[in-house]
Amino acid sequence: MLPGRIYKASLELKAVVRDHGAGFSQKALQYADREFYSGDESRHDRRHQGLGLAIAKRAAAEQGGFLEYGNRDTEGAEVALWVKTEQETDA
């Protein structure tokens, strides 16, 4: 399981997942959220379909949010999913 955090600030919810691997390649930073992009063209094991970030991006957009991803300053990658939450009202 990857470490993750959920933040709620004002009217947005941010869910973050980080890893300690090699991070995204420069090419993956351009294409990682596109359907069927796998990053490693030598993969033939079919365990990775290249759909995860594309699905997350679409789900976030349907909720008025967005997906952001990149490499961490130290090592590994970070993916954040932002969605809008309902405005709180006074009763």
Side-chain angles (χ1 to χ4, degrees), residues 5-19:
R5 290 208 165 111
I6 296 177
Y7 305 92
K8 185 167 191 280
S10 64
L11 301 177
E12 296 175 323
L13 178 73
K14 177 184 179 185
V16 178
V17 177
R18 298 177 179 129
D19 73 12

Side-chain angles (χ1 to χ4, degrees), residues 2-83:
L2 295 173
R5 290 208 165 111
I6 296 177
Y7 305 92
K8 185 167 191 280
S10 64
L11 301 177
E12 296 175 323
L13 178 73
K14 177 184 179 185
V16 178
V17 177
R18 298 177 179 129
D19 73 12
H20 298 281
F24 290 101
S25 69
Q26 289 301 312
K27 185 175 179 183
L29 287 171
Q30 292 179 288
Y31 301 108
D33 60 359
R34 294 192 185 175
E35 290 180 357
F36 306 112
Y37 179 76
S38 69
D40 184 350
E41 296 174 12
S42 67
R43 282 188 173 181
H44 299 289
D45 61 13
R46 306 305 253 172
R47 293 184 301 166
H48 177 66
Q49 301 298 319
L51 293 171
L53 293 181
I55 291 169
K57 180 181 177 181
R58 185 175 300 146
E62 288 176 0
Q63 298 300 317
F66 60 95
L67 186 72
E68 63 183 2
Y69 54 90
N71 293 321
R72 298 175 60 198
D73 291 336
T74 54
E75 66 176 352
E78 178 174 300
V79 177
L81 176 105
W82 291 81
V83 293

